[in-house]
Amino acid sequence: YLISFFYSLLSGSETFAPVSPYLIEKYGSEMNAVTVQLICSAVIGFVFAGATVIFEFDSWSILRQTVVHFFILGAVFIPAAWFCWWVDHTVKSIAVFFFIFIVIYAVMWIGQEIAGQQKIHSINDKLNRHHQQKQ
């Protein structure tokens, strides 16, 4: 939905376009295009949600978990973006889209890492206070 919103906003249109005009042209009607986009979006959602299980593999390093997670998400999201015409079919557009994907992924990963470190710090503080009270 956000992709559709920003696509409509950045295209300079005064109206909301639920799907790319190119997708409508490719599938013959707005309803067909919306259906294709809905299916792609659902697949993205399921894969993104399911891929978080990678971070439960305690035997893997955080680097390995992150790299595998990144490639799984990219392997689904970038082709879906291409297929749904969320990105123009040019090398430059794909490169820019991929760069934005990397930046967003990195920002979210760093945010999760910071939040995780704060949670660990909070738990350690509570354990230390509890230990000091017992002495």
Side-chain angles (χ1 to χ4, degrees), residues 38-130:
L38 176 68
I39 291 167
C40 285
S41 296
V43 169
I44 289 169
F46 287 129
V47 171
F48 276 39
T52 61
V53 75
I54 289 168
F55 293 105
E56 301 296 322
F57 299 160
D58 293 332
S59 61
W60 286 12
S61 70
I62 190 68
L63 177 62
R64 183 177 181 189
Q65 291 171 336
T66 302
V67 169
V68 170
H69 185 258
F70 173 81
F71 280 110
I72 289 172
L73 268 55
V76 172
F77 189 66
I78 292 170
W82 171 277
F83 190 68
C84 289
W85 282 91
W86 295 339
V87 61
D88 288 337
H89 291 185
T90 66
V91 173
K92 181 182 177 186
S93 293
I94 294 295
V96 168
F97 188 83
F98 187 66
F99 176 75
I100 292 168
F101 178 76
I102 291 171
V103 169
I104 292 171
Y105 187 91
V107 167
M108 292 178 71
W109 187 86
I110 290 167
Q112 288 296 317
E113 280 298 299
I114 291 169
Q117 291 298 322
Q118 288 174 341
K119 189 173 185 178
I120 289 168
H121 184 70
S122 173
I123 291 169
N124 285 337
D125 285 347
K126 288 177 185 175
L127 287 172
N128 287 335
R129 281 196 305 269
H130 179 71

